[in-house]
Amino acid sequence: MPSTKDNIKKEGQVIEALPSASFRVVMDDGTESLGHLSGKMRIHYIKVLVGDRVLMEFSPHDIKRGRIIKRF
């Protein structure tokens, strides 16, 4: 299993809500990516809405898809 210190974390803003708990997010540097909710956010019923600021975690291999790990 890959270690979490290899992952890239970026902040952004949700611009569109998609089916199956997926969201389109614009990062602070201007790039756009697709994100899904992490398991802990689903378990604790943390809702994410359009306009929310979020923290996303990416694999170093694919920066266009990631998971939302925190809502600010």
PDB file of all heavy atoms in Angstrom, residues 25-43:
ATOM      1  N   VAL A  25     -13.743  20.258  -8.958  1.00  0.00           N
ATOM      2  CA  VAL A  25     -13.079  21.206  -8.059  1.00  0.00           C
ATOM      3  C   VAL A  25     -12.051  22.014  -8.838  1.00  0.00           C
ATOM      4  O   VAL A  25     -11.304  21.461  -9.646  1.00  0.00           O
ATOM      5  CB  VAL A  25     -12.377  20.450  -6.899  1.00  0.00           C
ATOM      6  CG1 VAL A  25     -11.687  21.416  -5.962  1.00  0.00           C
ATOM      7  CG2 VAL A  25     -13.364  19.583  -6.143  1.00  0.00           C
ATOM      8  N   VAL A  26     -12.027  23.324  -8.596  1.00  0.00           N
ATOM      9  CA  VAL A  26     -10.998  24.197  -9.164  1.00  0.00           C
ATOM     10  C   VAL A  26      -9.978  24.461  -8.062  1.00  0.00           C
ATOM     11  O   VAL A  26     -10.325  24.950  -6.988  1.00  0.00           O
ATOM     12  CB  VAL A  26     -11.599  25.524  -9.674  1.00  0.00           C
ATOM     13  CG1 VAL A  26     -10.508  26.491 -10.062  1.00  0.00           C
ATOM     14  CG2 VAL A  26     -12.504  25.269 -10.842  1.00  0.00           C
ATOM     15  N   MET A  27      -8.741  24.112  -8.335  1.00  0.00           N
ATOM     16  CA  MET A  27      -7.664  24.313  -7.359  1.00  0.00           C
ATOM     17  C   MET A  27      -7.252  25.780  -7.321  1.00  0.00           C
ATOM     18  O   MET A  27      -7.581  26.557  -8.213  1.00  0.00           O
ATOM     19  CB  MET A  27      -6.440  23.469  -7.736  1.00  0.00           C
ATOM     20  CG  MET A  27      -6.705  21.995  -7.759  1.00  0.00           C
ATOM     21  SD  MET A  27      -7.091  21.410  -6.116  1.00  0.00           S
ATOM     22  CE  MET A  27      -8.587  20.557  -6.432  1.00  0.00           C
ATOM     23  N   ASP A  28      -6.514  26.157  -6.296  1.00  0.00           N
ATOM     24  CA  ASP A  28      -6.056  27.541  -6.149  1.00  0.00           C
ATOM     25  C   ASP A  28      -5.116  27.957  -7.278  1.00  0.00           C
ATOM     26  O   ASP A  28      -5.031  29.128  -7.612  1.00  0.00           O
ATOM     27  CB  ASP A  28      -5.352  27.724  -4.803  1.00  0.00           C
ATOM     28  CG  ASP A  28      -6.340  27.642  -3.646  1.00  0.00           C
ATOM     29  OD1 ASP A  28      -7.554  27.824  -3.882  1.00  0.00           O
ATOM     30  OD2 ASP A  28      -5.895  27.410  -2.512  1.00  0.00           O
ATOM     31  N   ASP A  29      -4.411  26.991  -7.877  1.00  0.00           N
ATOM     32  CA  ASP A  29      -3.499  27.314  -8.976  1.00  0.00           C
ATOM     33  C   ASP A  29      -4.199  27.363 -10.334  1.00  0.00           C
ATOM     34  O   ASP A  29      -3.557  27.573 -11.350  1.00  0.00           O
ATOM     35  CB  ASP A  29      -2.319  26.350  -9.017  1.00  0.00           C
ATOM     36  CG  ASP A  29      -2.750  24.900  -9.204  1.00  0.00           C
ATOM     37  OD1 ASP A  29      -3.952  24.649  -9.383  1.00  0.00           O
ATOM     38  OD2 ASP A  29      -1.870  24.017  -9.171  1.00  0.00           O
ATOM     39  N   GLY A  30      -5.532  27.154 -10.372  1.00  0.00           N
ATOM     40  CA  GLY A  30      -6.301  27.286 -11.605  1.00  0.00           C
ATOM     41  C   GLY A  30      -6.626  25.981 -12.309  1.00  0.00           C
ATOM     42  O   GLY A  30      -7.424  25.971 -13.237  1.00  0.00           O
ATOM     43  N   THR A  31      -6.031  24.874 -11.898  1.00  0.00           N
ATOM     44  CA  THR A  31      -6.321  23.595 -12.544  1.00  0.00           C
ATOM     45  C   THR A  31      -7.661  23.056 -12.058  1.00  0.00           C
ATOM     46  O   THR A  31      -8.111  23.366 -10.955  1.00  0.00           O
ATOM     47  CB  THR A  31      -5.220  22.561 -12.255  1.00  0.00           C
ATOM     48  OG1 THR A  31      -5.130  22.369 -10.850  1.00  0.00           O
ATOM     49  CG2 THR A  31      -3.890  23.014 -12.804  1.00  0.00           C
ATOM     50  N   GLU A  32      -8.288  22.245 -12.882  1.00  0.00           N
ATOM     51  CA  GLU A  32      -9.591  21.665 -12.565  1.00  0.00           C
ATOM     52  C   GLU A  32      -9.430  20.158 -12.435  1.00  0.00           C
ATOM     53  O   GLU A  32      -8.724  19.535 -13.221  1.00  0.00           O
ATOM     54  CB  GLU A  32     -10.571  22.001 -13.690  1.00  0.00           C
ATOM     55  CG  GLU A  32     -11.994  21.720 -13.350  1.00  0.00           C
ATOM     56  CD  GLU A  32     -12.936  22.251 -14.414  1.00  0.00           C
ATOM     57  OE1 GLU A  32     -12.880  23.451 -14.716  1.00  0.00           O
ATOM     58  OE2 GLU A  32     -13.706  21.435 -14.943  1.00  0.00           O
ATOM     59  N   SER A  33     -10.075  19.564 -11.439  1.00  0.00           N
ATOM     60  CA  SER A  33      -9.946  18.130 -11.234  1.00  0.00           C
ATOM     61  C   SER A  33     -11.264  17.550 -10.731  1.00  0.00           C
ATOM     62  O   SER A  33     -12.172  18.269 -10.336  1.00  0.00           O
ATOM     63  CB  SER A  33      -8.822  17.823 -10.250  1.00  0.00           C
ATOM     64  OG  SER A  33      -9.131  18.372  -9.005  1.00  0.00           O
ATOM     65  N   LEU A  34     -11.330  16.234 -10.757  1.00  0.00           N
ATOM     66  CA  LEU A  34     -12.507  15.497 -10.318  1.00  0.00           C
ATOM     67  C   LEU A  34     -12.183  14.853  -8.980  1.00  0.00           C
ATOM     68  O   LEU A  34     -11.124  14.237  -8.823  1.00  0.00           O
ATOM     69  CB  LEU A  34     -12.851  14.427 -11.347  1.00  0.00           C
ATOM     70  CG  LEU A  34     -14.140  13.676 -11.184  1.00  0.00           C
ATOM     71  CD1 LEU A  34     -15.317  14.628 -11.397  1.00  0.00           C
ATOM     72  CD2 LEU A  34     -14.222  12.547 -12.176  1.00  0.00           C
ATOM     73  N   GLY A  35     -13.066  15.009  -8.000  1.00  0.00           N
ATOM     74  CA  GLY A  35     -12.800  14.458  -6.676  1.00  0.00           C
ATOM     75  C   GLY A  35     -13.993  13.697  -6.137  1.00  0.00           C
ATOM     76  O   GLY A  35     -15.129  14.007  -6.447  1.00  0.00           O
ATOM     77  N   HIS A  36     -13.710  12.678  -5.333  1.00  0.00           N
ATOM     78  CA  HIS A  36     -14.770  11.940  -4.653  1.00  0.00           C
ATOM     79  C   HIS A  36     -14.526  12.024  -3.147  1.00  0.00           C
ATOM     80  O   HIS A  36     -13.418  12.310  -2.702  1.00  0.00           O
ATOM     81  CB  HIS A  36     -14.818  10.486  -5.118  1.00  0.00           C
ATOM     82  CG  HIS A  36     -13.595   9.700  -4.791  1.00  0.00           C
ATOM     83  ND1 HIS A  36     -12.476   9.713  -5.583  1.00  0.00           N
ATOM     84  CD2 HIS A  36     -13.307   8.913  -3.733  1.00  0.00           C
ATOM     85  CE1 HIS A  36     -11.556   8.944  -5.036  1.00  0.00           C
ATOM     86  NE2 HIS A  36     -12.027   8.447  -3.906  1.00  0.00           N
ATOM     87  N   LEU A  37     -15.573  11.799  -2.368  1.00  0.00           N
ATOM     88  CA  LEU A  37     -15.473  11.905  -0.911  1.00  0.00           C
ATOM     89  C   LEU A  37     -14.679  10.741  -0.348  1.00  0.00           C
ATOM     90  O   LEU A  37     -14.819   9.601  -0.789  1.00  0.00           O
ATOM     91  CB  LEU A  37     -16.859  11.901  -0.281  1.00  0.00           C
ATOM     92  CG  LEU A  37     -17.688  13.152  -0.445  1.00  0.00           C
ATOM     93  CD1 LEU A  37     -19.027  12.972   0.252  1.00  0.00           C
ATOM     94  CD2 LEU A  37     -16.984  14.357   0.097  1.00  0.00           C
ATOM     95  N   SER A  38     -13.856  11.025   0.651  1.00  0.00           N
ATOM     96  CA  SER A  38     -13.118   9.968   1.329  1.00  0.00           C
ATOM     97  C   SER A  38     -14.071   9.183   2.228  1.00  0.00           C
ATOM     98  O   SER A  38     -15.176   9.639   2.551  1.00  0.00           O
ATOM     99  CB  SER A  38     -11.977  10.556   2.147  1.00  0.00           C
ATOM    100  OG  SER A  38     -12.482  11.302   3.222  1.00  0.00           O
ATOM    101  N   GLY A  39     -13.650   8.026   2.648  1.00  0.00           N
ATOM    102  CA  GLY A  39     -14.477   7.157   3.470  1.00  0.00           C
ATOM    103  C   GLY A  39     -14.864   7.760   4.800  1.00  0.00           C
ATOM    104  O   GLY A  39     -15.993   7.623   5.256  1.00  0.00           O
ATOM    105  N   LYS A  40     -13.935   8.467   5.450  1.00  0.00           N
ATOM    106  CA  LYS A  40     -14.233   9.085   6.755  1.00  0.00           C
ATOM    107  C   LYS A  40     -15.302  10.161   6.622  1.00  0.00           C
ATOM    108  O   LYS A  40     -16.135  10.327   7.510  1.00  0.00           O
ATOM    109  CB  LYS A  40     -12.974   9.688   7.356  1.00  0.00           C
ATOM    110  CG  LYS A  40     -11.977   8.657   7.780  1.00  0.00           C
ATOM    111  CD  LYS A  40     -11.719   8.774   9.240  1.00  0.00           C
ATOM    112  CE  LYS A  40     -10.709   7.720   9.623  1.00  0.00           C
ATOM    113  NZ  LYS A  40     -10.737   7.417  11.003  1.00  0.00           N
ATOM    114  N   MET A  41     -15.296  10.898   5.512  1.00  0.00           N
ATOM    115  CA  MET A  41     -16.314  11.933   5.322  1.00  0.00           C
ATOM    116  C   MET A  41     -17.680  11.301   5.090  1.00  0.00           C
ATOM    117  O   MET A  41     -18.697  11.838   5.513  1.00  0.00           O
ATOM    118  CB  MET A  41     -15.926  12.844   4.162  1.00  0.00           C
ATOM    119  CG  MET A  41     -14.723  13.699   4.494  1.00  0.00           C
ATOM    120  SD  MET A  41     -14.346  14.911   3.255  1.00  0.00           S
ATOM    121  CE  MET A  41     -15.654  16.079   3.482  1.00  0.00           C
ATOM    122  N   ARG A  42     -17.717  10.151   4.426  1.00  0.00           N
ATOM    123  CA  ARG A  42     -18.989   9.452   4.222  1.00  0.00           C
ATOM    124  C   ARG A  42     -19.509   8.872   5.532  1.00  0.00           C
ATOM    125  O   ARG A  42     -20.701   8.959   5.841  1.00  0.00           O
ATOM    126  CB  ARG A  42     -18.818   8.331   3.206  1.00  0.00           C
ATOM    127  CG  ARG A  42     -18.644   8.822   1.809  1.00  0.00           C
ATOM    128  CD  ARG A  42     -18.503   7.659   0.871  1.00  0.00           C
ATOM    129  NE  ARG A  42     -18.107   8.132  -0.447  1.00  0.00           N
ATOM    130  CZ  ARG A  42     -18.523   7.585  -1.563  1.00  0.00           C
ATOM    131  NH1 ARG A  42     -19.325   6.563  -1.558  1.00  0.00           N
ATOM    132  NH2 ARG A  42     -18.124   8.072  -2.712  1.00  0.00           N
ATOM    133  N   ILE A  43     -18.619   8.273   6.319  1.00  0.00           N
ATOM    134  CA  ILE A  43     -19.024   7.657   7.586  1.00  0.00           C
ATOM    135  C   ILE A  43     -19.603   8.687   8.545  1.00  0.00           C
ATOM    136  O   ILE A  43     -20.609   8.442   9.208  1.00  0.00           O
ATOM    137  CB  ILE A  43     -17.830   6.927   8.236  1.00  0.00           C
ATOM    138  CG1 ILE A  43     -17.494   5.670   7.433  1.00  0.00           C
ATOM    139  CG2 ILE A  43     -18.106   6.580   9.689  1.00  0.00           C
ATOM    140  CD1 ILE A  43     -16.198   5.000   7.850  1.00  0.00           C
TER     141      ILE A  43
END
